[in-house]
Amino acid sequence: MSNVKILVTGNGFDLYHGLKTKYIDFVNYSKELITAEDKNRRKLAISNSFVQCFIKVASENQSWIDCEKEIEIVVTMMLKLLNDKNVFSENTHYIDKYNTSLASYEFEKLKLMPRFNQKPKSEYIFFYDRFFSTYQGINKSQVMDTLLRDLNDLIKIFEMYLKEKVSNDSVTELSKQIDDIKPDYIISFNYTNTYELYGINRKNVCHIHGAVQDNNMVLGIRDIDEKNIDSVYFKKFFQRIQKQSDVIQWDKFGSNTNEKTIAYFFGHSLSNNDGDIINDIYKNSHKIIVFYLKDFKDYEQKVINLIETLGKEVVIQGMYSGKITFEPIKNTIIRL
């Protein structure tokens, strides 16, 4: 029985093909929207809490940013604000920088969020009245609904960016290494359809996080605490269910899938952000091959991420038995 070859693609797959899909490219686009002539586009960016945080963080980190990590920080901070009585000064809407349980970086991020506070000062923040009630204090559902609206608008902006600025038409070179694999199936963590350049049909593709062409993009956080329902709308696993993104069709390959399946990871960090899916792929594969950049640091980081995702014992056993192997990305190309 011949092997079933599955190609698992992350953002590095699009970057390899020269597409501008780094988070900083998206943040720069969002920054441009703030001064756009169209007032509706301008409003989307100006009032969005996540966009404002992204722009500030990127400027301080010399144009590097992990948007998913920043979303997680913001959501975690909001839950702390809602559940910790020591955030606000007693019986007020004020948050005093020097008298709050918020960390300094959390306080500064909160200052950037126009939806929630009015005229923040250097040392205190005053929350809008609409987020409070006389007998219940801060209104949890009102705060989280507002933050969710910002997240949905953020996804809308991301969709606009991909449609307007990212196109396969700009690709001039393909990877011979990938072409030689001739994958039977694609598990894509990307929103794009770059795989079509290799003659792969959409029906053989699983868009785990949705696709721009399907208008069901998933962007959110890990399921850090599965018992915490307050943040469920922000979690990727829930969004995948909610938006009915693709599910891996293991039954497509018949019984005993893991006895014949080879999964090739190309351009995926293997981080725990997608840990549940990576574990599922590992469990259902006979072998996984991870491609890494010739920069040895990329190899080391992928090993570290895999340990965090699968666990030390699983990775050690997998590498010892040959179930997990690493191969460098070659510079062999096919010119279009």
Side-chain angles (χ1 to χ4, degrees):
M1 183 180 293
S2 60
N3 288 322
V4 175
K5 291 176 286 188
I6 297 177
L7 180 63
V8 184
T9 62
N11 191 45
F13 180 74
D14 281 349
L15 294 176
Y16 174 90
H17 293 88
L19 299 179
K20 291 188 175 182
T21 54
K22 288 184 178 179
Y23 277 136
I24 188 59
D25 296 318
F26 163 62
V27 173
N28 288 337
Y29 171 82
S30 303
K31 193 174 180 179
E32 291 173 4
L33 288 185
I34 292 175
T35 56
E37 292 185 9
D38 187 314
K39 67 178 183 180
N40 291 324
R41 291 163 69 90
R42 191 166 63 243
K43 184 179 178 181
L44 265 179
I46 290 175
S47 62
N48 192 283
S49 299
F50 294 107
V51 168
Q52 295 301 322
C53 288
F54 292 169
I55 291 172
K56 183 65 174 177
V57 170
S59 67
E60 292 183 349
N61 289 345
Q62 299 179 332
S63 297
W64 185 90
I65 186 169
D66 181 340
C67 288
E68 285 190 347
K69 180 180 178 181
E70 292 304 318
I71 291 171
E72 187 171 298
I73 289 173
V74 169
V75 173
T76 302
M77 175 189 68
M78 279 299 182
L79 291 175
K80 183 176 181 180
L81 180 147
L82 296 173
N83 297 314
D84 189 340
K85 295 179 181 179
N86 296 317
V87 169
F88 292 93
S89 296
E90 189 175 359
N91 299 322
T92 71
H93 300 181
Y94 286 92
I95 302 177
D96 185 329
K97 183 176 183 178
Y98 302 107
N99 188 27
T100 178
S101 57
L102 289 182
S104 179
Y105 74 91
E106 293 173 322
F107 180 87
E108 294 302 324
K109 274 188 169 58
L110 194 55
K111 282 169 60 178
L112 298 170
M113 300 182 176
R115 295 271 197 204
F116 299 97
N117 60 78
Q118 50 183 320
K119 299 179 181 178
K121 306 297 183 182
S122 60
E123 297 181 358
Y124 69 87
I125 295 171
F126 185 72
F127 250 52
Y128 284 116
D129 291 343
R130 65 176 175 270
F131 295 112
F132 291 84
S133 64
T134 304
Y135 298 104
Q136 294 181 326
I138 191 165
N139 189 320
K140 181 181 291 189
S141 61
Q142 179 87 343
V143 171
M144 296 309 286
D145 286 350
T146 302
L147 193 63
L148 180 59
R149 188 160 62 249
D150 273 355
L151 180 65
N152 289 333
D153 284 346
L154 178 71
I155 293 172
K156 187 184 300 183
I157 297 171
F158 209 154
E159 185 178 284
M160 287 163 49
Y161 170 71
L162 292 173
K163 287 180 177 178
E164 295 172 15
K165 301 295 184 180
V166 179
S167 170
N168 289 345
D169 294 341
S170 62
V171 178
T172 59
E173 297 176 347
L174 301 182
S175 166
K176 187 175 184 302
Q177 202 170 13
I178 293 175
D179 191 60
D180 286 344
I181 293 173
K182 294 186 170 30
D184 302 292
Y185 192 67
I186 302 281
I187 298 174
S188 175
F189 286 84
N190 302 333
Y191 309 119
T192 55
N193 60 347
T194 313
Y195 52 81
E196 289 183 350
L197 295 168
Y198 291 86
I200 297 165
N201 194 293
R202 172 66 174 90
K203 69 180 182 179
N204 294 319
V205 179
C206 172
H207 275 283
I208 288 290
H209 290 158
V212 64
Q213 64 265 35
D214 296 337
N215 298 309
N216 65 343
M217 288 170 50
V218 169
L219 180 64
I221 65 176
R222 299 172 294 164
D223 187 19
I224 303 171
D225 180 4
E226 63 181 27
K227 294 181 179 179
N228 189 335
I229 302 301
D230 291 336
S231 60
V232 70
Y233 282 95
F234 299 87
K235 295 180 179 181
K236 288 193 284 189
F237 91 88
F238 179 80
Q239 288 185 33
R240 293 198 301 263
I241 298 170
Q242 177 195 43
K243 299 181 180 184
Q244 300 180 6
S245 61
D246 295 340
V247 177
I248 303 174
Q249 298 174 298
W250 293 116
D251 57 351
K252 188 182 183 76
F253 313 116
S255 59
N256 300 320
T257 299
N258 63 348
E259 294 181 9
K260 59 181 180 178
T261 299
I262 302 177
Y264 299 83
F265 283 81
F266 193 104
H268 196 289
S269 69
L270 301 169
S271 78
N272 200 33
N273 284 343
D274 301 309
D276 55 339
I277 303 299
I278 295 172
N279 269 279
D280 190 37
I281 294 170
Y282 185 79
K283 180 183 69 176
N284 284 284
S285 299
H286 170 65
K287 183 174 184 178
I288 69 168
I289 298 173
V290 179
F291 291 107
Y292 65 93
L293 300 173
K294 287 188 176 180
D295 176 1
F296 196 68
K297 287 184 178 180
D298 187 55
Y299 165 76
E300 291 177 328
Q301 190 59 57
K302 282 181 166 57
V303 173
I304 291 169
N305 289 348
L306 202 57
I307 290 171
E308 181 184 14
T309 301
L310 298 179
K312 180 183 72 174
E313 297 303 324
V314 173
V315 173
I316 291 174
Q317 180 59 32
M319 296 187 73
Y320 179 78
S321 66
K323 180 172 181 176
I324 301 173
T325 61
F326 289 81
E327 293 185 14
I329 294 175
K330 298 177 182 176
N331 293 325
T332 53
I333 60 172
I334 302 170
R335 297 193 182 278
L336 295 179

